[in-house]
């Protein structure tokens, strides 16, 4: 007797969603996304602004994007994510649809409904896809967990009051408390 087959979703299923419905696709599994809370949006906007200003003032060659921004992690049609913040330094990865391949730096802002995804599934997926740096910002606990996938030197958990070192940029650190004040 054959076992029932679980449905494998594709990027075409993402684009076929009704207007206003958002989801991410990881290894063919569809994960619906709830609208973000106000604090989530404030953190995202402030981080986007801080990183963008740093890149501009240093004539950097990277681009920073805030969600919703499509990231096609692998060269397949079963992986599509919308990180809260994506920093991409290789312009060849960018096209009109989004980023094809791993961004250099991804920031996810935790909400109660995404905690399992951000600390588990996405952590593994981002690391194996080739993301260089991954931050998980947790506004409930006022912590930022940093993963330095290249050197592991700056991997650790920081409080919002700390100057959090950015792995991608040696001379940039971000204090979440100061950013949000």
């Amino acid at each position: 007797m054959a076992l029932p087959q679980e449905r494998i979703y594709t990027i075409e299923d993402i684009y076929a969603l009704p207007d206003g419905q958002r989801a991410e696709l990881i290894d063919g599994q569809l994960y619906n996304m709830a609208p973000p809370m106000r604090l989530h949006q404030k953190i995202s906007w402030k981080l986007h602004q801080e990183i963008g200003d740093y890149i501009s003032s240093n004539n950097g060659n990277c681009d920073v994007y805030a969600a919703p921004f499509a990231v096609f992690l692998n060269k397949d049609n079963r992986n599509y994510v919308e990180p809260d913040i994506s920093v991409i330094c290789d312009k060849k990865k960018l096209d009109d649809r989004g980023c094809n391949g791993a961004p250099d730096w991804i920031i996810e802002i935790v909400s109660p409904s995404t905690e399992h995804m951000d600390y588990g599934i996405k952590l593994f997926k981002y690391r194996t896809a080739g993301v260089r740096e991954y931050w998980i910002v947790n506004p409930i606990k006022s912590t930022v967990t940093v993963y330095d996938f290249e050197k592991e030197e700056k991997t650790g958990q920081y409080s919002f009051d700390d100057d959090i070192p950015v792995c991608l940029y040696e001379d940039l650190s971000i204090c979440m408390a100061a950013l949000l004040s």
Side-chain angles (χ1 to χ4, degrees):
M1 181 165 109
L3 293 173
Q5 294 294 317
E6 196 173 295
R7 176 158 183 209
I8 302 297
Y9 292 91
T10 67
I11 290 170
E12 289 74 30
D13 294 308
I14 290 287
Y15 284 105
L17 291 172
D19 285 345
Q21 184 178 346
R22 290 178 49 215
E24 292 181 307
L25 182 66
I26 298 177
D27 295 328
Q29 296 301 305
L30 203 58
Y31 297 92
N32 289 315
M33 299 170 65
M37 303 294 280
R38 184 191 62 80
L39 180 57
H40 180 285
Q41 289 298 87
K42 181 177 182 178
I43 292 170
S44 177
W45 184 78
K46 293 284 192 173
L47 281 168
H48 182 268
Q49 184 179 39
E50 181 81 2
I51 296 164
D53 287 350
Y54 173 85
I55 292 169
S56 293
S57 66
N58 288 281
N59 298 315
N61 63 341
C62 303
D63 289 337
V64 60
Y65 297 93
F69 179 74
V71 173
F72 306 93
L73 280 175
N74 302 353
K75 294 183 181 189
D76 62 27
N77 68 345
R78 296 179 305 142
N79 288 282
Y80 167 98
V81 291
E82 292 182 7
D84 291 308
I85 304 284
S86 300
V87 178
I88 298 107
C89 301
D90 182 355
K91 306 280 190 197
K92 291 180 271 183
K93 291 182 179 179
L94 297 170
D95 64 20
D96 287 341
R97 292 187 339 152
C99 178
N100 297 289
D104 294 273
W105 180 14
I106 287 179
I107 299 173
E108 294 283 8
I109 302 161
V110 173
S111 65
S113 65
T114 66
E115 192 166 358
H116 170 71
M117 291 287 295
D118 296 334
Y119 286 104
I121 295 168
K122 286 185 175 180
L123 170 62
F124 175 78
K125 197 67 184 170
Y126 292 159
R127 180 180 202 126
T128 58
V131 172
R132 295 166 56 194
E133 179 172 2
Y134 176 40
W135 283 25
I136 304 171
V137 178
N138 191 326
I140 297 161
K141 297 179 181 174
S142 297
T143 61
V144 177
T145 306
V146 173
Y147 293 94
D148 176 358
F149 293 141
E150 282 190 315
K151 301 176 194 152
E152 300 290 332
E153 292 172 2
K154 297 175 184 171
T155 294
Q157 188 166 9
Y158 301 85
S159 82
F160 273 25
D161 293 321
D162 292 331
D163 286 325
I164 305 164
V166 174
C167 309
L168 200 59
Y169 301 111
E170 291 294 323
D171 60 341
L172 176 62
S173 62
I174 297 173
C175 177
M176 295 298 297
L179 197 65
L180 298 172
S181 63

